[in-house]
Amino acid sequence: MPSSTAPGQEDDQEACILRFSDLDLKDKSLISSSNTLKAELDGSTKKKYSFAKKKQLAATLSTSKSVTSANKKNPLKEYLTHSHEVSAWLPDTSCVSPDELKSGQGSEEGEVLLYYCYCDLEDPQWICAWQTALCQHLHLTGKIRIATEGINGTVGGSKLATRLYVEAMLSYPLFKDYLCKEDFKISRGGAHCFPELRVGVFEEIVPMGISPYKISYKKPGIHLSPGEFHKEVEKFLSQADKEQSDTILLDCRNFYESKIGRFQGCLAPDIRKFSYFPSYVDTNLELFREKRVLMYCTGGIRCERGSAYLKAKGVCKEVFQLKGGIHKYLEEFPDGFYKGKLFVFDERYALCYNSDVLSECSYCGAQWDQYKLCSTPQCRQLVLTCPACQGQGFTACCVTCQDKGDRQASGPTQDSFKEECECTARRPRIPREVSQHAQLSVNPAPEPSVVSSDAECSCSCVSRRSRVGMAIPAAWCCSWAHLQPQ
């Protein structure tokens, strides 16, 4: 964040502030993200305070010119984050009705925005309060993470609401020098894609599990545009011997994301959380020695610090990352080298840009790539089960969950679990890659064929057949549990 106002910027900042209406400024108490922040317009209040606000800002900017280099305080920054009300930074919606803001939220007319901005924020709590008020004002739902290192958000609503949100973000002085319109990835959806609005302050805007003070976003890999990345992947795939290649195409996402869509020839780590990525790099460090690494993720944010971590190890020749992530790549190359669906972290689960289906139903082996949540309410694992198997009752991620769900349905509620079920516990937390050749191939090796649902299983799963009350497919055998989506 700039430490002072650059010459010639005063007019832009004043115009920016005067774009927004002044609202109820009677409450001078410190606003927290837990408050219910109102954004109702008052025409008389707007007229009453607009000129006063202009004079106040002018006086603040005038004061900033006299600050010496020895004084590190930024009057504009203090004005924005402490002395001014959150309500002053909400867009003027006096000319539209709430129904217009909400229209299209539950249909294809709505939109979902995905964005991030790495920049130093001295008062993330104030930004949290402003974002809460802004989204409530525009009837947006979604998830926003704020930290001293920046902001990361995905929000859904009507096209009018998302447009006003983008304008507000691009107008706000703390972000206007870092964000541009192209940084917002847009897809069809709406407020219905998220169950609620969740805005909070965290240590990291994407949970890698390492303090931003140890691995900073300021030392990432080299950014490649979608066109540049496309050429690099094309060059990589044209090489006859992938094992001897000096390039690794690295997917930084979780295994359930890469399972339904990925770049051809990529190395897709079998990890469940991005917070496992640093340990994965440490465990397989020799794999990256003297290699050119091409990294990619959904929207680019995980690559920012993921590439910084890999660079900090000092073993790679070069580290590159796809700017804008798969989202931006598919906008330019829908039929390019990325095959399958793009996983998203909302109730849509995936976006479709091409007709390729890479994954299979966990139970019958039919081509299928539409996730559902495990049918046991407390379990949050994802399962790939086709309509035919769903009709037979195969709707849980593993036999443990199916059994637990049946017992809960017929008796008192049992103690719940959220993540750790049998199929998760059996999965190696940090996999060790056997060889690069085993992972890198233009046509990824098919997964083990699924045994017929009526095949016999000699393990302890057989004893559960009578308890579950139906035939258990071999795909639920404990020896297969680690292969299933979670």
Side-chain angles (χ1 to χ4, degrees):
M1 178 164 46
S3 59
S4 61
T5 305
Q9 286 186 343
E10 289 85 354
D11 292 339
D12 291 341
Q13 289 163 338
E14 182 174 334
C16 159
I17 289 184
L18 293 177
R19 289 181 57 195
F20 300 94
S21 61
D22 217 339
L23 305 177
D24 184 5
L25 304 182
K26 293 180 180 179
D27 184 5
K28 300 299 181 181
S29 61
L30 180 63
I31 299 176
S32 67
S33 58
S34 61
N35 294 143
T36 300
L37 302 172
K38 298 183 179 180
E40 299 176 356
L41 293 169
D42 185 329
S44 61
T45 303
K46 177 182 175 182
K47 294 178 181 179
K48 181 177 180 181
Y49 286 99
S50 61
F51 181 71
K53 181 172 64 174
K54 182 176 180 180
K55 288 185 65 179
Q56 184 179 359
L57 177 61
T60 303
L61 294 175
S62 176
T63 303
S64 68
K65 295 179 182 179
S66 63
V67 177
T68 64
S69 59
N71 187 354
K72 300 299 183 181
K73 292 183 178 180
N74 186 335
L76 175 60
K77 185 189 304 180
E78 293 181 354
Y79 172 80
L80 294 175
T81 58
H82 292 291
S83 303
H84 214 58
E85 298 290 349
V86 167
S87 57
W89 294 94
L90 304 181
D92 185 350
T93 57
S94 58
C95 58
V96 298
S97 67
D99 289 338
E100 288 180 278
L101 281 175
K102 295 179 181 179
S103 65
Q105 285 187 333
S107 70
E108 292 299 311
E109 298 175 9
E111 290 180 335
V112 170
L113 299 176
L114 174 66
Y115 74 95
Y116 69 89
C117 178
Y118 275 108
C119 62
D120 295 336
L121 299 179
E122 292 191 0
D123 194 348
Q125 293 290 349
W126 194 95
I127 299 297
C128 180
W130 171 55
Q131 283 291 311
T132 302
L134 178 61
C135 291
Q136 289 177 347
H137 183 49
L138 299 174
H139 303 280
L140 298 173
T141 60
K143 297 173 286 186
I144 300 174
R145 293 176 65 98
I146 302 158
T148 56
E149 64 174 356
I151 184 171
N152 172 24
T154 176
V155 295
S158 67
K159 288 186 178 180
L160 173 59
T162 55
R163 178 177 63 81
L164 290 172
Y165 182 87
V166 171
E167 289 182 359
M169 291 295 294
L170 296 180
S171 299
Y172 193 71
L174 294 181
F175 297 124
K176 64 183 297 187
D177 292 333
Y178 299 94
L179 278 173
C180 63
K181 191 173 182 180
E182 289 69 31
D183 290 324
F184 292 85
K185 297 91 179 177
I186 302 173
S187 56
R188 289 185 296 179
H192 66 285
C193 295
F194 304 91
E196 58 187 351
L197 172 66
R198 300 173 66 181
V199 185
V201 175
F202 302 84
E203 185 180 19
E204 307 171 89
I205 60 174
V206 62
M208 191 170 76
I210 296 180
S211 170
Y213 297 105
K214 293 182 179 180
I215 298 295
S216 172
Y217 72 89
K218 298 178 181 179
K219 297 180 180 180
I222 300 171
H223 291 74
L224 298 179
S225 68
E228 293 169 331
F229 195 84
H230 183 80
K231 290 180 181 178
E232 287 288 344
V233 175
E234 184 176 37
K235 185 191 307 181
F236 167 68
L237 294 178
S238 67
Q239 298 173 354
D241 192 344
K242 302 297 183 300
E243 188 173 10
Q244 299 302 318
S245 173
D246 70 341
T247 300
I248 292 179
L249 180 56
L250 179 62
D251 193 323
C252 294
R253 301 173 302 160
N254 306 321
F255 79 89
Y256 53 85
E257 299 175 74
S258 59
K259 187 179 181 69
I260 63 171
R262 55 192 175 269
F263 274 96
Q264 292 176 269
C266 73
L267 169 61
D270 193 23
I271 56 176
R272 191 166 59 88
K273 295 180 178 180
F274 182 58
S275 58
Y276 297 171
F277 181 77
S279 296
Y280 173 83
V281 170
D282 294 344
T283 301
N284 299 280
L285 199 58
E286 287 303 310
L287 186 69
F288 301 102
R289 190 171 298 279
E290 295 301 313
K291 298 291 185 179
R292 297 173 71 252
V293 180
L294 303 173
M295 302 175 68
Y296 69 88
C297 60
T298 304
I301 185 171
R302 282 179 277 190
C303 285
E304 297 285 2
R305 291 188 66 224
S307 65
Y309 186 84
L310 190 54
K311 280 184 62 180
K313 293 298 175 178
V315 299
C316 300
K317 282 184 181 178
E318 294 175 297
V319 180
F320 301 92
Q321 63 189 81
L322 173 58
K323 184 177 181 180
I326 304 167
H327 248 292
K328 287 298 183 182
Y329 178 86
L330 288 174
E331 288 179 9
E332 293 190 31
F333 303 98
D335 297 313
F337 298 117
Y338 185 90
K339 304 300 181 182
K341 285 186 169 60
L342 173 60
F343 185 92
V344 290
F345 291 91
D346 57 58
E347 295 187 358
R348 297 171 298 174
Y349 292 123
L351 303 179
C352 181
Y353 290 85
N354 54 60
S355 59
D356 300 299
V357 179
L358 305 187
S359 51
E360 301 174 340
C361 172
S362 298
Y363 309 115
C364 70
Q367 283 192 319
W368 190 252
D369 60 5
Q370 297 180 28
Y371 278 120
K372 283 186 174 295
L373 281 176
C374 175
S375 55
T376 302
Q378 292 78 15
C379 182
R380 304 300 296 174
Q381 311 297 344
L382 292 169
V383 57
L384 289 170
T385 174
C386 70
C389 290
Q390 291 178 43
Q392 297 179 51
F394 302 138
T395 56
C397 65
C398 63
V399 66
T400 301
C401 272
Q402 187 75 40
D403 191 8
K404 186 180 182 73
D406 290 345
R407 284 188 285 110
Q408 287 182 346
S410 60
T413 302
Q414 304 292 320
D415 293 336
S416 64
F417 57 91
K418 186 176 180 181
E419 289 184 342
E420 193 71 17
C421 66
E422 186 173 277
C423 51
T424 300
R426 291 177 180 273
R427 189 179 200 91
R429 183 177 182 272
I430 308 297
R432 182 182 295 276
E433 305 297 350
V434 177
S435 69
Q436 184 177 348
H437 179 71
Q439 293 292 332
L440 300 177
S441 60
V442 177
N443 296 311
E447 296 179 5
S449 57
V450 178
V451 182
S452 171
S453 60
D454 59 356
E456 287 300 322
C457 173
S458 60
C459 74
S460 59
C461 291
V462 174
S463 64
R464 301 191 185 188
R465 291 176 185 261
S466 58
R467 289 168 54 195
V468 176
M470 62 180 180
I472 295 178
W476 275 0
C477 169
C478 59
S479 63
W480 283 74
H482 70 284
L483 296 175
Q484 307 310 315
Q486 299 150 30

